[in-house]
Amino acid sequence: MARIHVLKFGSSVLRSEADLPAVATEMLRWRMTGAPVIAVVSAFAGETDRRILEANEKGLEAESPARAGLIAAGEFASADALARELEARGETARALSPAEIRLRAAGNRMDAAPLSLDRRFLEATLEECPLLIIPGYSGIDQLDEPVLLGRGGSDLSALFIAAELGAPECHLIKDVDGLYDKDPNHHADAQRYETVSTLTAYKVGGVLVQPKAISFADTRTLTIHVTAMGAHAGTRIYANAPDRFHLGRELNREAG
């Protein structure tokens, strides 16, 4: 398939239904390049925690498909809502579930690892519908039962889909325009990395990028592009990248 953009929108930018117009606009901005766009979405802010509490109150066991399915439903709801927002603008858009694209995963039901997906189906669907939305954070096991990919797993969902489709990088759309050496919301002297190695990303990434996702990108030689909505800059994370700040300043860090 020709070039494709895989974008991931987390709950820091998709906080509620009020953010749907801005997220839809961002998808269309990337679509203007002529390439199809897949948006992988998290649940609205606070929804996953609410569903975990509900699962606890219902006494759903940790390894039960019912628990995984209840928790994952938050991502399904935001994906459907985003598809409706795009359709209301007259765009051809479609939400696809992990089951529909056969995104299989194995391991602990709450912290599984993705294994495969139906690439042919996904590419054929993109030919007909160049704007797709896929709920992140979950997949299906060998029995077609729901599994989760660990907290922050929507990052991993997006990176896995990008890798399986042969995209060279995956764009994680955050509420900051890249990875900083310290939290820019609390430190005025924080500096944004232009490029950074996966090793350094592990150390300073914090909650910005799921550690499992960084490890996956490392093994699949995939670039993680952390950026913000409407931004033209960001940080690119990849194995053996120079730890270089914006404006060309470089860091000399020892691995360890």
Side-chain angles (χ1 to χ4, degrees):
M1 161 167 278
R3 185 183 180 193
I4 181 174
H5 298 305
V6 179
L7 315 177
K8 184 265 179 171
F9 296 95
S11 57
S12 66
V13 293
L14 192 56
R15 295 158 295 192
S16 69
E17 290 193 359
D19 294 312
L20 291 170
V23 171
T25 296
E26 182 68 6
M27 284 186 68
L28 294 174
R29 182 173 79 93
W30 287 86
R31 175 68 182 131
M32 287 177 64
T33 64
V37 174
I38 294 178
V40 176
V41 297
S42 297
F44 294 129
E47 184 66 12
T48 298
D49 288 336
R50 186 190 70 78
R51 289 178 175 275
I52 290 173
L53 180 60
E54 181 181 349
N56 292 340
E57 291 173 345
K58 290 183 175 180
L60 299 179
E61 296 181 2
E63 282 293 303
S64 69
R67 183 182 182 90
L70 174 60
I71 296 171
E75 278 74 13
F76 284 63
S78 58
D80 288 340
L82 181 55
R84 290 194 300 271
E85 173 68 26
L86 288 161
E87 290 167 352
R89 299 187 183 199
E91 302 291 341
T92 302
R94 181 179 172 186
L96 292 174
S97 71
E100 287 178 290
I101 67 172
R102 313 307 294 165
L103 200 167
R104 295 204 178 275
N108 184 296
R109 190 172 298 279
M110 298 295 120
D111 194 17
L115 299 177
S116 63
L117 57 72
D118 190 338
R119 176 172 177 169
R120 289 186 179 180
F121 169 77
L122 198 48
E123 290 180 338
T125 306
L126 282 169
E127 293 289 343
E128 301 175 358
C129 181
L131 293 170
L132 296 181
I133 304 96
I134 298 173
Y137 187 33
S138 69
I140 55 173
D141 64 14
Q142 70 276 13
L143 299 177
D144 292 347
E145 299 282 8
V147 297
L148 304 181
L149 306 182
R151 290 306 296 262
S154 291
D155 285 348
L156 182 55
S157 296
L159 289 167
F160 182 74
I161 291 169
E164 290 294 293
L165 291 176
E169 65 180 4
C170 179
H171 312 281
L172 305 185
I173 313 298
K174 305 287 185 175
D175 60 348
V176 292
D177 62 348
L179 186 64
Y180 284 74
D181 62 337
K182 60 188 78 171
D183 188 344
N185 294 315
H186 297 96
H187 300 275
D189 62 342
Q191 297 186 76
R192 176 173 61 81
Y193 290 99
E194 186 174 86
T195 61
V196 66
S197 68
T198 50
L199 177 63
T200 300
Y202 276 120
K203 296 178 180 178
V204 302
V207 297
L208 194 64
V209 183
Q210 186 201 39
K212 277 177 65 177
I214 297 174
S215 178
F216 173 81
D218 205 6
T219 61
R220 295 291 291 268
T221 320
L222 182 70
T223 296
I224 303 173
H225 179 214
V226 179
T227 187
M229 293 205 294
H232 295 283
T235 300
R236 284 182 164 81
I237 304 168
Y238 55 93
N240 301 318
D243 291 346
R244 179 180 295 118
F245 283 128
H246 184 54
L247 300 180
R249 178 179 173 186
E250 292 196 18
L251 288 176
N252 295 313
R253 296 179 182 266
E254 293 183 4

